[in-house]
Amino acid sequence: LLQELDADILCLAEQAGMNANIRKMLEDMGYELKTNTGVAICSKLPFVGESIPLGQSCRDFALAWRIKNGEDTLLVVSTHLESSHIPLDERVALGEHIQTHNRDEIKKSGRVILGFLSTSAVTRAGQVNILDSLLMTHKGESIVLCGDFNDTPVSNAYRKTNRHLRNCFRESGREI
């Protein structure tokens, strides 16, 4: 798929498990890799300078680097925002309670799941504030923001970052 797409820039999430074979394959395809403990930016275009500082708390959810594209310089941001971390057994239990119409158990499971959702939403909000600050600081520059927001198009994360940028996915009018 990567060879078929022949993309100039790749942003990868959950790359901590990237083994040496995958790294070598990407390098053989002409990519230079910049990584932190959670995300990566792979580019066939040249990286410029050092990474853009995002703060110590970003070392696993975001990475920003300038990339030279012809006469333009792009600020590329790869991010992977906090997921809900709802354990599989809790999701299965809720599904079973719904199938058996057990209202009391549905409520109990719902409260447990809501706890996971609220905890992750608070973490994501902090991460989005850091991204928002970055986007405000670099307003007017050519910026490409890619990643897994672990949220919906009506979420705070989406709304807050989207106010700075154009959504090329939506504007293209096409699916993946």
Side-chain angles (χ1 to χ4, degrees), residues 43-165:
S43 180
K44 292 181 179 179
L45 304 170
F47 285 94
V48 178
E50 299 295 319
S51 67
I52 307 299
L54 296 170
Q56 186 66 10
S57 63
C58 296
R59 68 181 175 274
D60 60 353
F61 88 87
L63 182 64
W65 219 289
R66 286 193 173 82
I67 294 176
K68 190 76 171 159
N69 182 23
E71 296 300 313
D72 198 6
T73 301
L74 306 171
L75 175 58
V76 177
V77 183
S78 179
T79 189
H80 185 198
L81 301 182
E82 186 74 12
S83 73
S84 61
H85 301 290
I86 300 170
L88 178 60
D89 61 329
E90 292 295 338
R91 291 180 278 162
V92 169
L94 177 60
E96 290 171 357
H97 301 322
I98 290 171
Q99 287 179 354
T100 60
H101 306 287
N102 187 334
R103 287 179 181 245
D104 291 337
E105 291 301 318
I106 290 170
K107 287 178 184 178
K108 285 180 189 174
S109 287
R111 283 191 290 275
V112 169
I113 288 173
L114 186 59
F116 284 103
L117 293 174
S118 61
T119 299
S120 63
V122 168
T123 301
R124 237 182 347 271
Q127 293 170 334
V128 167
N129 287 339
I130 291 168
L131 288 176
D132 184 61
S133 177
L134 172 76
L135 296 173
M136 288 294 292
T137 300
H138 297 277
K139 192 173 185 159
E141 294 183 37
S142 297
I143 301 173
V144 176
L145 172 63
C146 297
D148 183 349
F149 280 55
N150 278 310
D151 228 326
T152 68
V154 295
S155 67
N156 173 60
Y158 182 85
R159 181 189 50 76
K160 200 164 187 177
T161 55
N162 197 49
R163 68 186 176 150
H164 302 290
L165 305 169

